[in-house]
Amino acid sequence: MEQLKANLILDAKGLACPMPIVKTKKAMKDLEAGRVMEVQATDVGSRADLKAWAQSAGHHYLGTIEDGNILRHFLRKSSTDDAVERNHPNVATNEELLKKMEGGENITILDVRETAEYAFEHIAEAICIPFEELEDRLSELDKERSIYVVCRTGNRSDLAAQQLEKQGFLNVVNVVPGMSGWTGKTTGLAE
């Protein structure tokens, strides 16, 4: 399996409850919104504890990977501006994207979330190019194809759609609300 990228790796191995949460809470304060943290723990209770804490604190619990006796928990720090103004004029709903997929249209689905978010759950047909890598990886995309850009809520995908349009991509569509409201088929490591 490809190594999942996290913006911060927190070592909580050997610590028992409540210390993994205490350390995670403290480290999360210094993490920039939208970034992914990997918490490495050996306490089997940390799976339920970290999931519950992340949800109660408003963060996104991505999932856990068992790596021998180490539990690798992935969390994404929430953003305080989930209602960011959208600027890209070409927008589609999740349902509109699903109809295009079911109709067999020749489109590209571009997921601009972090690799850990993508790994745990994504649209099977989607390719992953994290937003921060997009400028350097434009050559991987066909400027002539319709590109439907997906993220968790539609905010990063809006910025990515604007960036693609500025780089000469002809038909770019921001998908709203994205994976937070996706009801179609997905694949990934999610439990």
Side-chain angles (χ1 to χ4, degrees), residues 1 4 38 41 44 47 61 63-74 120 189 191:
M1 179 179 80
L4 297 182
E38 175 183 342
V44 294
R47 181 188 306 255
Y61 172 81
T64 300
I65 295 174
E66 292 186 31
D67 190 1
N69 66 342
I70 298 171
L71 298 171
R72 298 173 56 212
H73 307 286
F74 291 86
F120 279 98
L189 302 172
E191 299 169 358

Side-chain angles (χ1 to χ4, degrees), residues 83-110:
V84 170
E85 179 182 334
R86 302 200 200 300
N87 295 307
H88 187 70
N90 203 357
V91 177
T93 64
N94 287 358
E95 293 75 22
E96 291 168 329
L97 173 58
L98 195 53
K99 283 181 187 175
K100 295 220 177 263
M101 292 169 58
E102 290 170 347
E105 291 197 30
N106 191 19
I107 61 173
T108 297
I109 302 169
L110 173 62

Side-chain angles (χ1 to χ4, degrees), residues 18-141:
M19 290 312 295
I21 292 175
V22 171
K23 284 188 79 167
T24 300
K25 192 179 206 180
K26 183 177 179 189
M28 191 67 83
K29 287 180 183 178
D30 296 328
L31 192 63
E32 188 178 327
R35 301 291 188 199
V36 174
M37 176 191 301
E38 175 183 342
V39 180
Q40 297 178 350
T42 50
D43 179 9
V44 294
S46 65
R47 181 188 306 255
D49 294 345
L50 284 169
K51 183 176 183 178
W53 173 80
Q55 291 169 342
S56 70
H59 301 298
H60 187 203
Y61 172 81
L62 301 174
T64 300
I65 295 174
E66 292 186 31
D67 190 1
N69 66 342
I70 298 171
L71 298 171
R72 298 173 56 212
H73 307 286
F74 291 86
L75 307 133
R76 180 179 178 272
K77 184 171 182 175
S78 66
S79 174
T80 56
D81 56 324
D82 274 347
V84 170
E85 179 182 334
R86 302 200 200 300
N87 295 307
H88 187 70
N90 203 357
V91 177
T93 64
N94 287 358
E95 293 75 22
E96 291 168 329
L97 173 58
L98 195 53
K99 283 181 187 175
K100 295 220 177 263
M101 292 169 58
E102 290 170 347
E105 291 197 30
N106 191 19
I107 61 173
T108 297
I109 302 169
L110 173 62
D111 191 323
V112 295
R113 296 175 301 152
E114 297 291 327
T115 57
E117 293 176 276
Y118 176 86
F120 279 98
E121 182 180 33
H122 62 273
I123 299 168
E125 296 85 352
I127 59 169
C128 179
I129 301 177
F131 178 67
E132 286 187 349
E133 299 175 17
L134 188 58
E135 188 174 341
D136 295 331
R137 296 177 61 187
L138 292 174
S139 64
E140 297 176 33
L141 301 169

